[in-house]
Amino acid sequence: MIKNILMEKLQNKNANVAVIGLGYVGLPLAIRYADVGYKVLGIDIDSEKLVKLNSGQTYIEHIPQEKIAAANAQGFTATDNFARIADTDAVILCLPTPLSKQREPNLSYIFKTMDAILPYLRKGQILSLQSTTYPGTTDEEIKPLLEKKGLRVGEDIFLVYSPEREDPGNMTYSTGNIPKICGGITDHCLDVGIALYAQVTNKVIGVSSTRTAEMTKLLENIHRAVNIGLVNELKILTDKMGIDIFEVVSAAATKPFGFVPYYPGPGIGGHCIPIDPFYLTWKAHEYGIHTRFIELAGEINNSMPQWVVHKFIDALNHQDKAIKNSKVLVLGLAYKKNVDDARESPAVRIMELLRKNKAIVAYSDPYFPTFPKMREHHFNLQSVALTKENLCNQDAVIITTPHDLFDFEFIKQHAKLIIDTRGVYRDGDPKIIRA
Ligand SMILES: NC(=O)c1ccc[n+]([C@@H]2O[C@H](COP(=O)([O-])OP(=O)(O)OC[C@H]3O[C@@H](n4cnc5c(N)ncnc54)[C@H](O)[C@@H]3O)[C@@H](O)[C@H]2O)c1
């Protein structure tokens, strides 16, 4: 039976595994498969990444060079030749799923890849989608493509959805010890899916359908977006009331049950939290439902960069200064601390607002020596070294991302005015403004 042969190959690690999309999700996964003994083929369309990987180099800050070299030694190679899919047993899609300009799901990366691999998909393979998406994508969009080719899903080929829970830069949890959710189109699909993931994670949780698995991922991210929206709104209120929201959240977090701490900030960023909830909002319209919590959290979180800039303008006002021609140094481009990922980063939106108000903007971020290429933001800037002179020269610094590499005591000593969006400083120094 096709299923048993494939499961045996997966369980014995004789299966060849292909990971398509070697970014923040796909690369660590590919390395993990190589690590535990599978032969792994990485596929990406970015030729720079392919050259680096095949010569044992890394392009993601928290994935060390040695890990790539070790994977290469295990037979890991990277290619843009989709025909090589034919020689693999498992195909895992880790492709981007952004929003369009109209904030609708953009599944074009998945469709393009499906077009490229369909000629090479065959009986005896498992296809797993890991990209975050709305419930229904796997069975409404991917399954028909396989069936059109004459492959019977659950008999000839196995199709699952298994969401990604990667947390870049997290030193405690990575692919090997983050439990993995998996939903199959049929029970046979789920069995093969569990066999695919059981060797690389400590726990696989099978759920009743691909839709349940897709929805589970969205619930996790919506839960974060809504709770961050809540503390961001409370931050604005407590600021007016003269109460320290960071102290409040830390105090509430001492409750040993029924409370999960979320901390406010300058807004939300990254590939997930600002985007994924809106995949559900879009799909919900099909059912006549308006997802109010998602919209409200989005509205509040999106307004935070503007609020931070207002706090900065107020602080300058108190010093009889205008924002126009003021010199401001933004500390941290990345959307969260200790990572080299600036996608959707609120720091960049703050820079845009400052520039719009004619401030003279500079930034410092050890993870971005040069301002990164972005689809919608262009700054011809280089990271400024945090010297005494550079700090003294600014009218203010705005702490947007509290990287551990920043010396906050030194910054406090030399900056004239600090706008702290992350609760870095807990004392009441008058030159520090919470925002
Ligand atoms: N980054 C995270 O922390 C994270 C966490 C959980 C879930 N996710 C989800 O995982 C998915 C992937 O995210 P990511 O952060 O790894 O994205 P990424 O942009 O870092 O990586 C995607 C990779 O796919 C490649 N690619 C694009 N089109 C391709 C094609 N047609 N064929 C082959 N390769 C192609 C790109 O070159 C890139 O290397 C998204 O759906 C995201 O929402 C991401």
Side-chain angles (χ1 to χ4, degrees), residues 102 231 275 285 293 339 362 381 412:
Q102 292 71 33
V231 286
I275 292 172
H285 289 157
F293 271 103
V339 300
L381 292 175
K412 185 172 147 190

CSV table of all heavy atoms in Angstrom, one decimal, residues 102 231 275 285 293 339 362 381 412:
chain,number,residue,atom,x,y,z
A,102,GLN,N,-4.8,46.0,-0.8
A,102,GLN,CA,-6.2,46.2,-0.3
A,102,GLN,C,-6.4,45.3,1.0
A,102,GLN,O,-7.5,45.1,1.4
A,102,GLN,CB,-7.2,45.8,-1.4
A,102,GLN,CG,-7.3,46.7,-2.6
A,102,GLN,CD,-6.0,46.6,-3.5
A,102,GLN,OE1,-5.4,45.5,-3.6
A,102,GLN,NE2,-5.6,47.7,-4.1
A,231,VAL,N,-3.4,46.1,25.8
A,231,VAL,CA,-2.4,46.8,26.6
A,231,VAL,C,-2.0,48.1,26.0
A,231,VAL,O,-1.6,49.1,26.7
A,231,VAL,CB,-1.2,46.0,27.0
A,231,VAL,CG1,-1.5,45.0,28.1
A,231,VAL,CG2,-0.5,45.4,25.9
A,275,ILE,N,-0.4,40.8,10.1
A,275,ILE,CA,-1.0,40.4,8.8
A,275,ILE,C,-2.0,39.3,9.0
A,275,ILE,O,-3.1,39.3,8.5
A,275,ILE,CB,0.2,39.9,7.9
A,275,ILE,CG1,1.0,41.1,7.5
A,275,ILE,CG2,-0.3,39.2,6.7
A,275,ILE,CD1,2.3,40.8,6.8
A,285,HIS,N,-15.9,37.4,5.9
A,285,HIS,CA,-16.9,38.1,5.1
A,285,HIS,C,-17.8,37.1,4.2
A,285,HIS,O,-18.9,37.4,4.0
A,285,HIS,CB,-16.2,39.1,4.1
A,285,HIS,CG,-15.7,40.3,4.9
A,285,HIS,ND1,-14.7,41.1,4.4
A,285,HIS,CD2,-16.0,40.8,6.1
A,285,HIS,CE1,-14.4,42.0,5.3
A,285,HIS,NE2,-15.2,41.8,6.4
A,293,PHE,N,-13.2,42.2,16.9
A,293,PHE,CA,-12.0,42.2,17.8
A,293,PHE,C,-10.7,42.4,17.0
A,293,PHE,O,-9.8,43.2,17.4
A,293,PHE,CB,-11.9,40.9,18.6
A,293,PHE,CG,-12.6,40.9,19.9
A,293,PHE,CD1,-13.8,40.3,20.1
A,293,PHE,CD2,-12.0,41.6,21.0
A,293,PHE,CE1,-14.5,40.3,21.3
A,293,PHE,CE2,-12.7,41.6,22.2
A,293,PHE,CZ,-13.9,41.0,22.4
A,339,VAL,N,16.6,40.4,16.8
A,339,VAL,CA,16.5,39.7,15.5
A,339,VAL,C,16.8,40.7,14.4
A,339,VAL,O,16.8,41.9,14.6
A,339,VAL,CB,15.0,39.1,15.3
A,339,VAL,CG1,14.7,38.1,16.3
A,339,VAL,CG2,14.0,40.2,15.2
A,362,ALA,N,17.8,59.7,12.0
A,362,ALA,CA,18.9,58.7,11.9
A,362,ALA,C,18.5,57.5,12.6
A,362,ALA,O,17.5,57.5,13.4
A,362,ALA,CB,20.2,59.3,12.5
A,381,LEU,N,20.2,55.4,4.5
A,381,LEU,CA,20.8,55.6,5.7
A,381,LEU,C,21.7,54.4,6.2
A,381,LEU,O,21.4,53.3,5.7
A,381,LEU,CB,19.8,55.8,6.8
A,381,LEU,CG,18.9,57.1,6.8
A,381,LEU,CD1,17.9,57.1,7.9
A,381,LEU,CD2,19.8,58.3,6.9
A,412,LYS,N,21.5,56.6,28.3
A,412,LYS,CA,20.8,57.5,29.3
A,412,LYS,C,21.8,58.6,29.7
A,412,LYS,O,21.4,59.8,29.9
A,412,LYS,CB,20.4,56.7,30.5
A,412,LYS,CG,19.6,57.5,31.5
A,412,LYS,CD,19.0,56.6,32.6
A,412,LYS,CE,18.9,57.3,33.9
A,412,LYS,NZ,18.6,56.4,35.0
